[in-house]
Each structure stands twice: as C-alpha cells, then as structure tokens.
C-alpha cells in the first residue's frame, strides 16, 4: 500500500500507486484511454477491446483495463495499430446501432457517440444489421431499450455485484443480448429499480422511464448533493432545467466506488417537491381549520408566543435536517427562546454519545466489516446503500462477520454469522481475541471475564485479529459494547436510520433536559401516549408523528409536507426540502459532505435557518447563521474511545422498515414511488 | 473395501495379468466405442455370448467390450486374442458362423477379415494391417486390451504404479524434473510445456488448489479425448492424481460435455472403482496424500473448452472467457491456483513417470516430444483414431495409415486444428507433425482434428463452414469476435453467391488481422485462421469465384451453372433419373439438357454424373 510506481504514458512521466490499472493511471495524467466496458473500482473484463494499448517490449497490444502499472513501463495509447482496432470496434458497433443521435437523449454524454466522433465515423462502413427487440417499459422507473445496447456488460456487472443480479447475457455470437432471468420484464424479475444500470450504461439502452420528456443533456445544470432520505446519505447528482429537477443520478464524489449507489427513493423520490402534499404557505388554525396566512403575520404571531412560552417551549427535529439548520436551531432555542428543551428523532434509536463517539472511517479501506445488529437490505429498502456498499466491498476485497440475533440479508455472504445474543457474541469475541496473538488491555478484558465463548466466536475473533483495518458498523443499541472492538483495532460507528443523525447531534441538537420522547409524549416506538412535558411544541422537519401530544397548547410544525402531525398543528410553516437548500451533513462514516441547492424553495417555503433568523429578529434578538467553518469545527470533533459499557441499551421498538416508511411517507406517497405500493412491490 | 497399499496393488496386478496377456482363455475383444456401438456392437456382444453358450464353450472364451479400437470406419470390430485376429464390419447375421468357424473349428472366417486394398491379400493379424502398423500407441496403449470398466485390468497393465511411485518415492521436485525432461507439451491446442504450468501452480502458496481435466472437446471432427476417456479412463485419473500430488491439490474436476454419455459413464465408473480401491480419497496408498475428483458436465458450448470459460462454468457462471493474467496456475477456479490440462496431456503422464522423462523424449522432434493422437476424418479411406510419433509426416498419416483418398479423386488439403486451425495443401504433405512446423505452415497442431479434403472441396465454402461455426459459438463478450466474425461470414457468403468484388479479398485480410489481434480469447484470435490459410494457399480459388463467377469444386450452388457439357456427356441418363424437379431433358444417344427454369440447384445431377459432364 502506498507504494508509487513511475512509468511513461505517451511520453509523459506518470506516478501511480502500485496495483492501479493503466486506465486509471493514465487518467491521473489527464490522458484518456478509450473504454466502453470498464467500470472504475471493478476488475477489467476485456470485453469491448477499446482500451488496447501498446507497451514497449510487448509484441501484441494489451488491454489497459486489466493491466497494472509497472515500474518503467512505457505505454503508448494512440498508436496507429490500436487506433485502427478502436476504429474497427466502433465501426462494428455502429453497424448494429440505431443512429438516432439527433433525437437520442444520451447525445452529448454518450460514450459511443464520443468515439464515433473521434474517428469521424458518420455511419458504419459495414452494411446495417438490426434486430428488433421489444422495449421493456412495464415500470415507471427504468426503461430497457435493447436496440441501443452495445453489450458492454456494465449493467450486468453492477447489478450482479450489488447483489440484485437481475441481468445476464443470453445467446451466442451476434444473437447475444442482455436479458433478465427468463426474459421477463424488469418488474417481474426481482429488480429493485435502483437504476444503477442506468448510471453505467454508456449508451441509451437503459434510461429513466420518462427520460425522453426531460430534455437534452447539455440543457441541464448539475448539482452535486446528498440524498437525505435515509441513514446512508448517498451522494447524488441532480440535473435541473429551468427550476425543475429532470433526473437524479448517483453522485461520484465519494472516494470509494463502493458507495457510488443510490436507491430508487433517492433517484425517483424527488417528485415529492412538487407533489400534492407540499406545504406552500404558512397556515394558522382558525376556528378549528387551518387557514393560509402571510409569512409575515405567521412569524410575528409565533414570535410573540415563543417569547411568552420561553422555557415551556420544546423543539423536536428530525435527524434529516442539514447541519446549518441544526446549528441555527440549537442557537435559536438556547440563545433566543432560552429553553433547554431540544432533541431530535435520533433519540428514538440512539443516545447522543453513541453518535458522537462514532468514528470516521473509509469503507474502501476496510478489509473486514463487522455488522452488529444491523440488517441493511435493498429489498426491504432499509439502508439499501449500506447493503450495496458491503456487497461491493466483499466482491473486491474484504470479509464479513454478521452478528445478529435475527437472520439478516447479508448472512449468506458473511464468513461467520454469530446469531445468538449480540452483546454476548461481542463479549465472547473480545474474550477470545488474546488467543490469536493480539494484546488486549486488561481494563477491557476484565469486563468480559464472565463471558462464554464458542467456536464461532473464536473464529470471528481470529478473523478480527488477522484483519488490518476492521470496520464495525453497529446498531446504536449495541454500539457501546461493539465500540470496544474498535478500542482494540479498527473503527466503529453507530448506524443511524436518518441521514444526518450524526451531524444533528454534533451541531448540538440533542437532549439536555427533556427528551424527544418526553416532549412528544412517545412511549415506545412511535406510539404516542401520556402528556407532553412542554406547552409550546415546535416540530422541525417532517417529524413522523401523527398526533398533537396531550398537554401541548400550541403546536408548530415547520415541514415541507403535510404530515400527520402537520394536520394537527396550530401553525404550519413551509420549509424547504434538502433539494432546495444548501449546506452540509455528516454521513454514517463521519464524512462531512456538502449539499448543493438544486432548485428554488417552492411557494413561500424557506430553509429552517432562514425561518429561525426571521423569528429571532421578530423577537428582538440577532441570530447569526453558522459559517461553514463553524460547522466543520463542530463536525470534526475528535473521538477518543474508552472502555464502554458492556450491557444492552434500550432498543428502538419500531422496526427500521416501518420507521423509514413513516419518515418518508410524504415522499413515497407523492412521487412515482407510489407505484411500488400500488403494485404491491414495497 | 479398505484402502490398499503398494503390495495390494501388486497382488492385483499379478492376479489379473492373465486377463491382459490372454494366457488362459481365448478373448473376443469387441469394440464398444461410440462408433461401433452405433453400428450395432452391443447387439453383437449379446449374440456372441448366446452363440458361445449354445456351443458350451463359455468357460474357455471371454467376450470383452473394449474402448475404441481406432479403425472406426470398419466398425463393428472384433479382435480375437491371443492370436490378434482382426474381424471388421460385423453384422448380427455373421455371428453364428463366426463363432462356429473361429472358435469351434479354429479356422478364421476369411470373408470378414481385412483385405489389403492394393495387394488384395488377406491380412489376418491386426498388427499387420497398415492402419495399425504405422502407429505408436502410447496414450492408446491399452486399446483393445482392457475392458475400460475394469480397474483390475488397468492395474494389470501397470496402471496406478506411476501414481504409486509419484506418491511414495518421488518428491514434487522429482516429478517436475521428469516432466521437464519428457518435454511434454499440452495437447489441448496451445502446446504449453506441462512442467512449467505445474511448476507455477506448485509455487503458489494456497491451502486450496485444484486440478482440472479439460474434456470439452468441441471442435467439429475431433473425437480423440472422447475415445481416450471411453477406452482408458483410469489413465486420465492417474495423470490427474500425479498432477495433484505435484502441486499439492486436494480436489479435481473433469469437465466433460453432456454429449458424451458413454465417456461420462465410463469415467464415473472409473472414479467409483478408484475410490473403492482407495486410489482416490484420503491417505492414498498409505502416502498420507489426499485427492478426490468429480465430473462436471458442460452444456457443450465450444467456447467452454477455453480454460477461463471452463472454470467460470464450473463455478456456476456463464461460460465466458476472462482476460489473463491472472493465469489459472495463479488464480483459477474460485481464484485458487489450478492446473488445467487436456485429456490426452494427462493420459501421457503415467507413462512418463513409469518409463522416465528421458525415455519419453526419445521419440519426437526437437521441440515436440512423444506421440500425438489424431482423429482422422473427411475424404480418407480409413477414418479413425490414430496415434503417431511426433515428427511423422502428414503424408504418412493420410496415405500409409489413412489409406489415401477413396475413389480416383485427388487430395486437395488437410485441415488441422479445426476451426482454430488452418489448411495445409498438397505441397506441404511432407510436413512433420511438430508444433512449430505446423504453425509455420499457417495451421495449428490443435487438439488433433485432421480433416482430409479431396478435390471436390471448395476452399471458400470450407472457410465459410468454420467461420459460421465460430460465429455461432462466439460467446458474444468481445466486440471483434462477436461482430467481426459475422462480417467475415457476410463477405464469404457474398463471394459464394457470386456477388464478390476483388476488394473483398483485401477486406477479408484486414478484418482477419484485426480480429486476430484484438479478440479477447483464443476463439476470436484464431477464428480467422481458416480464412487466412485458404487465402494463402488457394487465392486463385477465391479469384475464380469473384472474377469468373465460378466455383471450381462446384460446391457453391449459386455459381454452378448446371449446364451439361455435351463433349463429356455419354447420354447415360443418370442425371435425368436423379433430378427431383424434372429439369433434365434426356433422350437416348443425345446429350442431356437442363432447363434452368426448373432447376432447383439441388446438386443431385452433379453428384450422380460419373463423367463430370455438368458445369
Ligand atoms: C475456443 C477454445 C476452445 C478450446 N477447447 C478446448 C478443448 O475442447 N479441449 C482442450 O483440451 N482444450 C481446449 N482449448 C484450450 C484450453 O484453453 C487450454 O489451453 C488447454 O485445455 C490446456 O491444456 P493443455 O495445456 O494440456 O493443452 C480451447 C481453447 C479455446 C480458445
Ligand atoms: S446511444 Fe449514443 S450513439 Fe446511440 S443514438 Fe444515442 S447518442 Fe447516438
Ligand atoms: S434497476 Fe437496479 S436492480 Fe434493476 S436491473 Fe438495474 S441495477 Fe439491477
Ligand atoms: S444495456 Fe447498456 S450497460 Fe447494459 S450491456 Fe447494453 S450497453 Fe452495456
Ligand atoms: S440509500 Fe438512502 S440515502 Fe441513499 S439514495 Fe436511497 S434513500 Fe437516499
Ligand atoms: S474472442 Fe469470441 S469467444 Fe472469446 S471472449 Fe471474445 S467473443 Fe467470446
Ligand atoms: S475497457 Fe478494456 S476492454 Fe473494454
Ligand atoms: S468405435 Fe470401434 S473402432 Fe472406433
């Protein structure tokens, strides 16, 4: 690791890390080696033959996608011989390809078009040959149009590697094609509609079902942002035209290609911003009815109420708001309203210390992943991107241990499943670690003296001892005990269900006095019972509750959609969605990521922070929005682990599945994702 | 049965020696190969047994079903041992008489014996028949001698004694040294030195390694590997065991196509017997070494014979090649070091270990040692399986062993190496069987398919046949092979239809060179060979098709005019009789005439005319 190799590519001296392939190494030097089947992060399969290059001393051209850099290698990427081959390959492909560039929506970003242009191939020199295959458009997400397919195999490979495994090659020779199992339409073949295949298709054979209506690639503005719909916090690239989102693709900012994935929520849920449940203006309850009022009136009214309620005010927020909103909220509540009643939904499933003590890690550096009590799954749509990241990691390097009292989707891929009680399993593992040549501090061992170990635990301990960079991802309920493993080596983190749980807590939105449960009168899970501890309850974001808690005199709901709670509110304030705000967030691995605004806030909606600043003004105080460096400082808090409690913590009564559905209800109900529910696919 | 030791093995050899040396009973060695079975050898076996029992001689006569005798063209074949008396083309009706004459009266039944086509003399003994006399059966050393289902008989022929030596007396280094000395090269096509492959795999540090036997044999016209597996399955098992011992592999696979039911059955029986004898499993012959193997049935795609595709297929994936490196010896099956060899390669191994590498290298040319098995087919008299020393000339194989071209027709070319190979014309008939010499001539040794073609073969048509084959067998993964071969095929079709232009020839060469240089696996890289070699040796034939719109071999129907040449026509009327569409007008003593309106170009007149009078 870390060793650098020097080589020459087209006469230019290039330094590249040992083990890197020639395509990536050339890219470092700004040299593009043409390719159609290569996928960064995966092994080169040598299918398209576009990347053939010549290496001095070798008789035949070799493929750059599967050749590693070597010291003093001299590579030529544009010799007559390889250019001739490339031209030949493009020529062959074009002879069987609809030359529709004039109307094709891939035009402008199409790899085939790019190379045809490079070789000046207006059309193929071979006679046209075409097969007519039916277009698969039985679902509102992904359209398969095999006429355009150039058989690069990228879609087959991403889908396979991420574990959905819906696509494969069929047939031989010229009759080869990509099909689903039994050649059924996607919606009958186990497809999750993640659209990963769309992102990798070099041509127009796989596209968003409504892609045609959305405009040409060069008309779009692109925004690098983050999906805030679940704890994975995936990078997204939002394409807009006018003030409309036209499509969302997986972003590619994260350094690890394992994480270049978004699920169907992240890709297609954006329609909710203009959906039927959107709150476009402030409303106040008058005579039992919510009625529209002006923003000015609403905020003036609310300022007065907040002043009066003071300490009797409580703020509850979701853990999906941005850092900047969270920090402003924290300042507003403490400095302006002067109440210590503040908390977020993260409290429902994690204690603040757990999120604060979660470490930073790089997934693509992990050689062993240990999942404790978490069960990510693309099919139940619980933390799907984590499921994918783990699967990809395993198919590249890396091994897996699952520790879970229940069966998990990833068990089959794990080398070891410890499926008894999680706490005992981890304790047993820790106890066995010293048997495998790793020193463990007595302070820690003392705590596990009583633990019993079995063969599985010992094997897991051995694997842990042998790994150099283990990554422990734990359900918050078991984080304390699991973090002890990371005290020995590696990194541990509590896996949140919401995108910015770590950030929200780091920004100070965490209970100091009354908890979320106290204020929302939540007994267990999301069931509301009993009395709230506050008089004025201020809910920030789409808080997944459905009832105004007993004891609350005045309920403010500041959200973007008409949630169950908003319906019961005394005042509703329209909030911008994450697609309409800019700022930052902290993902589950502890990375601080920026969120770029893609579209203007709809109607009169404003970002949470703007609303708080205005309220503060109305209350006669000045509230400053945090700067990025303030946020960065708060997010970068150094984590020092110590021996942590070995006992079980109160677990969340809600299943992750139902919680995420409740949280995303507005998105699921007011976008094409509704189709999933209507056709029984959720 | 308990696992055995060397002494047990020796006693089995002694106890069964009489069976393979024919010192007790008269043995009727009846060929039970796929060829002879298809002409009725199983029924004949029953009939033989019945006749023998009726005559009450069952105690002194054994009927033994053997693997392919080699002379498949003359099946069903029976050799009476110990006298080596050869009978061929048997029918059920012949059996009572045969048993009576040969076994009761002790007089050979002459009408079923081999008659030399030249001298017309009867050659009663198998070893005197030229087909056999010029061969050197090493890999086929047990053919016609043992019952392939009997492990005892294999042992009686020193079977598993090489393995015993490898396991009990030799270190992996010793084995590698003998393999190195033998000069044995892969018989599956590429001719890679076996000792190197084994050495690389043995140097890999991995707790799990595999040995794989490639028995996919998909090229048209090839049946060497099938015959070896059917006739001598234990020799392949023993070869694998020795390979496993050398590289320290614990598990093996034999990848065999489903289309070879008899081979599959015989190999399975062999595995079962070997397991019973403790020659597979743990602590083999008390050496502490453990090895077991299983059959994997392939679906029969040609490309699955390519090593990386084959391994992918065993792993449960779709048989598609992947780029190398890594090579199988480093990362093969399930990414573990894997030795992958061809059936014939492995069947050579026991002999080398028993007799020594130097002894083995005593036969052959400088860089090609030992023998090579060929499946001789096409326009040759003695179609069959032959094994000759490396260095034997093609001429000797085709004429001395193969008996030359039937009828009065002339030899035109011989296709070596199937679809990946090339053709060799008459001028090169003295070419020796040697990896390098054959490559220089534009063909490849290949796995051993040898298709002889006489003057009636159109070389454009032949090239097209193989191009059509590879185009259909291309796995579709890489662009040049998937689509490029189809484009070559298109041009060949154009030429055959009389629509070719002279630029097509340059295009063919260009396309061929680019496909060869840019394809991912051997299938695409070698696919243009038949085209390139025919272009090289028969350019005029292509030009005839293009410029003169003529197919000299009269194969390309579009170019055949179907006109009667009045000068040659003897008015025999055969064309008239055979024409299915009534297109031939014929009156006695007048040259026939063909009505082009009615002619459907079925070629029947042409095939039936004895005077070559139809253009
Ligand atoms: C398209 C293709 C088909 C092949 N088919 C066979 C086959 O049927 N049997 C075989 O032994 N080798 C076949 N080979 C060669 C194998 O890839 C491999 O080189 C060989 O099995 C190695 O064994 P050897 O070294 O003993 O020859 C084929 C290669 C290609 C490219
Ligand atoms: S996929 Fe690319 S090459 Fe094909 S029509 Fe569209 S833009 Fe043109
Ligand atoms: S949408 Fe996702 S699951 Fe469906 S085929 Fe594409 S990659 Fe596979
Ligand atoms: S659909 Fe697209 S990604 Fe899939 S093989 Fe065809 S061209 Fe490649
Ligand atoms: S996995 Fe979660 S964060 Fe990623 S795209 Fe899907 S909903 Fe958004
Ligand atoms: S050369 Fe042909 S058979 Fe080989 S990988 Fe390419 S397409 Fe498949
Ligand atoms: S990118 Fe290397 S062969 Fe396609
Ligand atoms: S099958 Fe009987 S001789 Fe070949």
């Amino acid at each position: 690791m870390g060793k650098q190799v020097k080589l020459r590519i087209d006469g230019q001296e290039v330094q590249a890390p040992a083990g890197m392939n020639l395509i990536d190494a050339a890219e470092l030097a700004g040299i593009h080696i043409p390719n159609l089947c290569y996928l960064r992060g995966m092994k080169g399969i040598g299918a398209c033959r576009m990347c053939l290059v010549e290496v001095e001393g070798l008789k035949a051209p070799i493929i750059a996608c599967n050749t590693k850099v070597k010291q003093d290698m001299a590579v030529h990427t544009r010799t007559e011989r390889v250019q001739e081959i490339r031209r030949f390959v493009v020529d062959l492909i074009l002879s069987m390809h609809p030359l529709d560039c004039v109307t094709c929506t891939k035009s402008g970003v199409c790899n085939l078009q790019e190379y045809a242009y490079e070789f000046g191939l207006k059309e193929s020199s071979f006679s046209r040959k075409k097969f007519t295959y039916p277009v698969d458009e039985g679902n509102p997400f992904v359209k398969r149009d095999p006429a355009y397919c150039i058989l690069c195999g990228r879609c087959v490979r991403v889908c396979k590697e991420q574990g959905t495994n819906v696509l494969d090659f069929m047939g031989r020779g010229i009759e080869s094609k990509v099909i689903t199992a039994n050649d059924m339409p996607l919606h009958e073949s186990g497809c999750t509609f993640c659209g990963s295949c769309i992102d990798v298709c070099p041509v127009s054979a796989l596209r968003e079902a409504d892609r045609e209506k959305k405009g040409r690639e060069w008309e779009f503005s692109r925004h690098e942002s983050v999906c805030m719909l679940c704890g994975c916090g995936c990078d997204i690239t939002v394409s807009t035209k006018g003030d409309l989102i036209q499509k969302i693709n997986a972003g590619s900012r994260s350094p690890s290609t394992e994480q270049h994935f978004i699920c169907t929520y992240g890709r297609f849920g954006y329609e909710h911003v203009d959906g039927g449940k959107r709150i476009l203006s402030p409303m106040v309850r008058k005579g039992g009815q919510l009625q529209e009022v002006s923003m000015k009136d609403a905020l003036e009214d609310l300022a007065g109420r907040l002043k009066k309620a003071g300490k009797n005010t409580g703020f509850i927020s979701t853990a999906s708001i941005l850092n900047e909103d969270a920090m402003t909220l924290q300042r507003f509540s403490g400095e302006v309203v002067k109440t210590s009643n503040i908390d977020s939904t993260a409290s429902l499933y994690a204690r603040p210390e757990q999120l604060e003590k979660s470490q930073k890690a790089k997934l693509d550096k992990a050689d062993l992943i240990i999942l404790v009590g978490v069960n990510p799954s693309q099919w139940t749509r619980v933390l799907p991107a984590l499921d994918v990241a783990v699967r990809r990691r395993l198919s590249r390097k890396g091994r897996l241990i699952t520790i879970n009292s229940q069966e998990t989707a990833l068990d089959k891929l794990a080398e070891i499943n410890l499926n008894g009680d999680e706490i005992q399993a981890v304790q047993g593992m820790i106890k066995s670690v010293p048997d495998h040549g790793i020193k463990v501090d007595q302070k820690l061992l003392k705590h596990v003296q009583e633990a019993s170990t079995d063969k599985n635990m010992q094997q897991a301990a051995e694997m842990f001892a042998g790994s150099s960079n283990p990554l422990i991802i734990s359900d918050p309920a078991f984080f304390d005990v699991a973090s002890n493993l990371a005290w020995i080596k590696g990194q541990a983190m509590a896996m949140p269900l919401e995108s910015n749980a770590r950030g929200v807590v780091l920004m100070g939105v965490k209970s100091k006095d009354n908890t979320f449960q106290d204020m929302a009168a939540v007994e267990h899970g999301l069931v509301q019972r009993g009395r709230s501890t506050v008089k004025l309850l201020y809910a920030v974001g789409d808080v997944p509750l459905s009832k105004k808690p007993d004891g609350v005199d005045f309920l403010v709901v500041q959200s973007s959609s008409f949630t169950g709670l908003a319906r019961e509110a005394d005042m509703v304030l329209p909030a911008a969605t994450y697609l309409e705000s800019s700022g930052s967030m902290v993902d589950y691995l502890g990375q601080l990521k920026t969120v770029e605004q893609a579209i203007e806030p709809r109607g009169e909606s404003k970002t949470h922070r703007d609303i708080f600043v205005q309220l503060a003004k109305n209350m006669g105080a000045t509230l400053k929005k945090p700067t990025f460096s303030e946020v960065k400082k708060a997010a970068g808090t150094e984590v020092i682990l110590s021996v942590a409690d070995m006992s079980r913590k109160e677990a969340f009564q809600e299943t992750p599945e139902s919680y995420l559905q409740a949280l995303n209800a507005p998105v699921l109900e007011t976008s094409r994702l509704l189709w999933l529910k209507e056709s029984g696919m959720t | 049965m308990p696992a055995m030791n060397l002494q047990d093995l020796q006693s089995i050899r002694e106890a069964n020696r009489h069976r393979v040396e024919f010192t007790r009973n008269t043995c009727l060695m009846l060929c039970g190969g796929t060829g002879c079975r298809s002409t009725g050898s199983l029924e004949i076996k029953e009939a033989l047994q019945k006749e023998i029992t009726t005559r009450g001689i069952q105690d002194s006569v054994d009927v033994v079903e053997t693997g392919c005798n080699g002379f498949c063209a003359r099946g069903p074949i029976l050799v009476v041992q110990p006298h080596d008396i050869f009978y061929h083309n048997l029918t059920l009706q012949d059996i009572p008489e045969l048993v009576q004459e040969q076994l009761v009266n002790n007089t050979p039944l002459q009408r079923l014996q081999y008659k030399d086509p030249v001298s017309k003399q009867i050659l009663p003994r198998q070893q005197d028949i030229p087909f056999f006399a010029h061969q050197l059966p090493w890999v086929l050393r047990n053919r016609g001698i043992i019952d392939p289902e009997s492990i005892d008989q294999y042992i009686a022929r020193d079977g598993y004694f090489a393995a015993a030596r490898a396991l009990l007396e030799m270190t992996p280094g010793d084995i590698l040294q003998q393999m190195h000395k033998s000069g044995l090269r892969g018989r599956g096509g590429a001719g890679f030195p076996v000792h190197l492959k084994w050495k690389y795999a043995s140097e890999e540090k991995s707790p799990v390694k595999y040995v794989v036997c490639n028995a996919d044999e998909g090229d048209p016209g090839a049946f060497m590997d099938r015959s070896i597996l059917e006739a001598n399955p234990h020799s392949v098992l023993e070869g694998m065991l020795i390979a496993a011992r050398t590289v320290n592999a614990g598990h093996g696979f034999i990848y065999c196509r489903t289309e070879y039911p008899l081979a599959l059955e015989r190999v399975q029986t062999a595995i079962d017997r070997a397991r019973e004898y403790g020659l597979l499993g743990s602590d083999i012959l008390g050496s502490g070494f453990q090895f077991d193997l299983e059959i994997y049935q392939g679906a029969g795609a040609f490309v699955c014979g390519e090593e990386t595709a084959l391994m992918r297929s065993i792993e449960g994936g779709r048989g598609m090649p992947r780029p190398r490196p890594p090579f199988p010896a480093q990362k093969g099956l399930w990414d573990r070091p894997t030795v992958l060899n061809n059936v014939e390669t492995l069947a050579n191994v026991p002999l080398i270990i028993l007799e020594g590498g130097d002894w083995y290298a005593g036969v052959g040319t400088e860089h090609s040692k030992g023998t090579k098995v060929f499946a001789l087919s096409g326009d040759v008299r003695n179609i069959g399986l032959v094994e000759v020393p490396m260095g034997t000339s093609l001429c000797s194989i085709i004429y001395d062993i193969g008996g030359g071209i039937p009828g009065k027709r002339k030899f035109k070319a011989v296709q070596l190496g199937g679809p990946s190979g090339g053709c060799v014309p008459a001028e090169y008939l003295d070419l020796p069987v040697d990896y390098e010499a054959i490559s220089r001539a534009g063909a490849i040794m290949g796995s051993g398919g040898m298709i002889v073609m006489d003057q009636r073969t159109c070389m454009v048509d032949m090239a097209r046949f193989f191009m059509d084959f590879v185009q259909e067998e291309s796995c579709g993964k890489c662009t040049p092979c998937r689509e490029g071969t189809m484009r070559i095929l298109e041009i060949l079709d154009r030429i055959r239809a009389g629509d070719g232009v002279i630029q097509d020839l340059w295009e063919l060469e260009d396309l061929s060179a680019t496909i060869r240089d840019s394809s991912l696996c051997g299938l695409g890289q070698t696919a243009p060979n038949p085209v390139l070699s025919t272009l090289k040796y028969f350019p005029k034939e292509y030009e005839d098709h293009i410029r003169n719109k003529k197919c000299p071999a009269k194969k390309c129907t579009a170019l055949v005019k179907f006109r009667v040449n009045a000068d040659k026509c003897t008015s025999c009327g055969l064309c008239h009789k055979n024409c299915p569409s009534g297109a031939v007008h014929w009156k006695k003593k007048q040259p026939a005439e063909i009505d082009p309106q009615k002619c459907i170009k079925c070629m029947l007149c042409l095939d039936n005319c004895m005077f070559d009078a139809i253009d």
Side-chain angles (χ1 to χ4, degrees), chain B residues 326-341:
Chain B
F327 290 95
Q330 301 147 345
K331 276 189 173 186
L333 262 184
W334 292 289
D335 280 350
R336 303 294 192 168
T338 302
V339 164
L340 189 144
N341 278 118

Side-chain angles (χ1 to χ4, degrees), chain A residues 310-331:
Chain A
K311 281 193 174 27
N312 286 327
T313 310
F315 289 91
I316 51 172
S317 158
T318 67
S320 330
I321 61 172
L322 302 185
N323 288 335
E324 288 70 11
D325 292 327
M327 195 178 259
T328 315
L329 165 61
Q330 185 269 330
R331 287 178 181 171

Side-chain angles (χ1 to χ4, degrees), chain A residues 43-49 52 63 66 81 84-85 88-89 92-93 95-96 126-127 129 150-151 168-174 176, chain B residues 301 303 318-320 323 325 335 471-480 482-484 486-487 490 507 511 514-515 517-520:
Chain A
K43 266 188 220 152
I45 57 160
C48 71
R49 317 308 287 170
L52 281 166
I63 44 173
N66 189 47
R81 192 144 161 237
E84 192 190 323
I85 291 173
F88 171 69
V89 167
L92 282 174
I93 294 176
S95 73
M96 296 192 55
F126 300 105
S127 56
K129 192 163 179 112
I150 62 167
L151 296 167
D168 208 347
F169 284 101
M170 235 267 296
R172 300 212 168 263
I174 207 73
S176 309
Chain B
V303 71
R318 191 182 139 85
M320 273 181 155
D335 280 350
Q471 144 63 26
E472 293 207 342
E473 293 294 329
S474 155
C475 82
K477 181 171 181 177
C478 73
T479 332
R482 178 182 69 234
E483 292 178 25
M486 188 256 303
R487 296 304 175 180
E490 262 180 10
E507 176 116 357
L511 277 173
T514 316
I515 293 171
D517 293 348
S518 61
S519 292
L520 165 57

Side-chain angles (χ1 to χ4, degrees), chain B residues 308-364:
Chain B
T308 60
L310 183 149
M311 294 187 302
R312 188 77 198 97
S313 173
I314 295 180
E315 288 166 1
R318 191 182 139 85
M320 273 181 155
R322 63 155 173 82
R324 294 170 302 184
F327 290 95
Q330 301 147 345
K331 276 189 173 186
L333 262 184
W334 292 289
D335 280 350
R336 303 294 192 168
T338 302
V339 164
L340 189 144
N341 278 118
N342 163 264
V343 170
E344 187 184 334
T345 314
L346 290 163
N348 269 296
V349 172
L351 202 63
I352 294 170
I353 297 303
L354 270 186
E355 306 287 346
D358 287 329
W359 172 87
Y360 186 90
V363 160

